[in-house]
Amino acid sequence: MSTVFRLDASIKPEGSVTRAVSETLENAIVAELGDAVTTTSRSIGLNPLPSDAWATAAFAGYVPAEQRNEQQNAAVALATELADELAAADAVIIAAPFYNWGVTQHLKTWFDLVLTDGRFGPGAETKAGTGKSAFLVIARGGGYGEGTPRYGWDHASAWLKRVLQDVWGYEVTVIEAELTLAETTPAMAELVDLARKNLADAHAAAESHGKAVAAKIAA
């Protein structure tokens, strides 16, 4: 039995682009593999992780297990639970909305906690994601490509890919949708058609990549 793990970081209860595109990707995988795959998920945008858990877990690493206090034990247990979810998955979907030009605090907390686990720490002998696929589903409200006024303002995408690919060893595919605020921002009215095309392309890419990774998992 194969497993797909999906992490949603959007703070939107409804209307999240990253959640919608990730659902297209997940559904495509499930449609191909059927009963041979199970899915697990965690919505950290709507159900945030404790903001102090990372620091507690990190410092607990310097304390012998039998000497840790209740808070340290709880933080380490949470980090282990998150790492277990990730380690058990054959494919990982990270739905990463772009907030304030960087990584959302909820997603950064998740990464920080997982990095305290020995299997995913920078010093791990074996990269836990080696041979596995990870998908970064990214949505940006505006345009940040080369030639745009805010080119270079995206301080999230490269960092996310660096950790997933270079630290953890995953084969990373990025699926992006830009201009997602065009429909609701009067100043972006002339970009609505392009925004709709971007979104359609993102869903099409998710469908295609879902089928491809399902074939890889089944092989």
Side-chain angles (χ1 to χ4, degrees), residues 7-71:
L7 186 74
D8 286 295
S10 175
I11 61 174
K12 288 185 174 182
E14 298 179 358
S16 166
V17 172
T18 55
R19 190 177 295 118
V21 174
S22 293
E23 285 179 359
T24 296
L25 175 58
E26 180 181 330
N27 290 340
I29 298 172
V30 172
E32 293 293 314
L33 295 178
D35 294 338
V37 65
T38 60
T39 60
T40 60
S41 63
R42 184 178 287 266
S43 181
I44 55 174
L46 300 180
N47 300 288
L49 299 166
S51 61
D52 60 347
W54 166 64
T56 305
F59 284 116
Y62 299 96
V63 179
E66 67 276 8
Q67 296 179 21
R68 292 171 186 163
N69 60 35
E70 183 178 347
Q71 291 75 24

Side-chain angles (χ1 to χ4, degrees), residues 101-144:
W101 312 290
V103 180
T104 166
Q105 61 173 322
H106 306 309
L107 192 54
K108 184 63 164 59
T109 298
W110 180 85
F111 271 98
D112 285 340
L113 273 166
V114 172
L115 284 163
T116 67
D117 185 282
R119 292 166 289 177
F120 290 91
E125 292 186 9
T126 303
K127 294 182 179 181
T130 301
K132 298 182 179 181
S133 299
F135 296 89
L136 266 177
V137 179
I138 297 172
R140 306 182 190 90
Y144 293 85

Side-chain angles (χ1 to χ4, degrees), residues 140-144 150 178-196 198:
R140 306 182 190 90
Y144 293 85
R150 289 189 172 176
E178 284 203 330
L179 308 175
T180 60
L181 292 177
E183 297 270 8
T184 57
T185 305
M188 299 175 67
E190 64 182 19
L191 298 172
V192 168
D193 288 344
L194 180 57
R196 290 173 179 170
N198 285 346

Side-chain angles (χ1 to χ4, degrees), residues 141-192:
Y144 293 85
E146 189 170 357
T148 63
R150 289 189 172 176
Y151 174 63
W153 283 48
D154 180 350
H155 301 289
S157 300
W159 183 88
L160 291 166
K161 187 174 181 181
R162 179 77 66 188
V163 177
L164 288 169
Q165 179 174 284
D166 297 343
V167 180
W168 292 347
Y170 286 98
E171 297 175 10
V172 179
T173 299
V174 180
I175 301 172
E176 302 171 294
E178 284 203 330
L179 308 175
T180 60
L181 292 177
E183 297 270 8
T184 57
T185 305
M188 299 175 67
E190 64 182 19
L191 298 172
V192 168

